[in-house]
Amino acid sequence: MVEKRGAGHWLTHAGLILGVLFIFFPIWLAFVASTVSQPEIVHPPMPLLPGDQFLENYAKALVSGINAPVARMLANSAVMAIGIALGKIVISILSAFAIVYFRFPGRKLFFWLIFVTLMLPVEVRIVPTYEVAARFDMLNSYQGLILPLIASATATFLFRQFFMTVPDELAEAARVDGAGPMRFFVDILLPMSRTNMAALFVILFIYGWNQYLWPLLITTDPEMNTIVMGIKQMFPSGDDIADWPVIMATSILAMIPPVIVVISMQKLFIRGLVDSEK
């Protein structure tokens, strides 16, 4: 590898640092706002250094919040995001395995029927989906938050494309050794798909964490609110005064779980996007 030096090298790093500061500055302001008192926020100028109300504001947000405790909303969001991510991966990898390795009439037709559902996101089919969830008594429940969102044509397509690159000799060798389809799937395909599953888990976790419209429809009990719904409901209506330190503390807390997932799975996430383990 040839290492480049000179003005271009330093200009590249200077541009990178400026870009990071530009993106990070609003997050820093939100953190500062979560550590000061209400009068310090509403009376300009806005402080640029953290204040002394960190423990008070975050404790108030976690324990009591404004409409509901933020700790409860964080738990609801975590259950929903993990359930959606794992559900999508399990269903998608099983459907892709059936489409690629089983010879049955119309398998290509079934694949394209799955693929066509990409044109039917939950926003398009939200009324019939809500009616089905209501008929199965899934309102105000984790099942209602998770099950209608766990089908994924995109993940099925990605796993299908990956399985099609696996050499046929592996399946033939497993068959010669007496391995059945499910043993081939569990002992060979699943370990090979580890990085793909990790990359999809990161993407799907963030997708589930940021859901707003579906939880807003399926839940009416404040105990089932997710963190994204909670932040929206914290904003006052009419002439009420917003408790900005608590709102900013809640926003910072809402960012922590996705950041932890991305950082903890960073290596697998990158390898899953650019590499495979064949």
Side-chain angles (χ1 to χ4, degrees), residues 199-223:
L200 272 174
F201 180 85
V202 173
I203 296 170
L204 297 175
F205 180 89
I206 296 173
Y207 164 81
W209 187 269
N210 291 331
Q211 282 296 312
Y212 174 70
L213 180 59
W214 180 248
L216 187 66
L217 286 176
I218 202 74
T219 61
T220 54
D221 183 359
E223 289 292 310

Side-chain angles (χ1 to χ4, degrees), residues 127-170:
V127 174
T129 304
Y130 176 84
E131 186 174 352
V132 171
R135 286 178 181 271
F136 280 95
D137 196 21
M138 292 194 295
L139 302 182
N140 292 315
S141 68
Y142 290 123
Q143 298 94 314
L145 286 172
I146 296 170
L147 292 180
L149 301 180
I150 61 173
S152 174
T154 305
T156 303
F157 176 74
L158 293 176
F159 280 123
R160 172 186 178 267
Q161 297 306 109
F162 172 70
F163 289 161
M164 290 179 71
T165 65
V166 175
D168 294 335
E169 288 78 7
L170 276 178

Side-chain angles (χ1 to χ4, degrees), residues 19-33:
V20 171
L21 292 176
F22 181 76
I23 294 173
F24 186 73
F25 186 66
I27 301 174
W28 173 255
L29 282 183
F31 174 72
V32 170

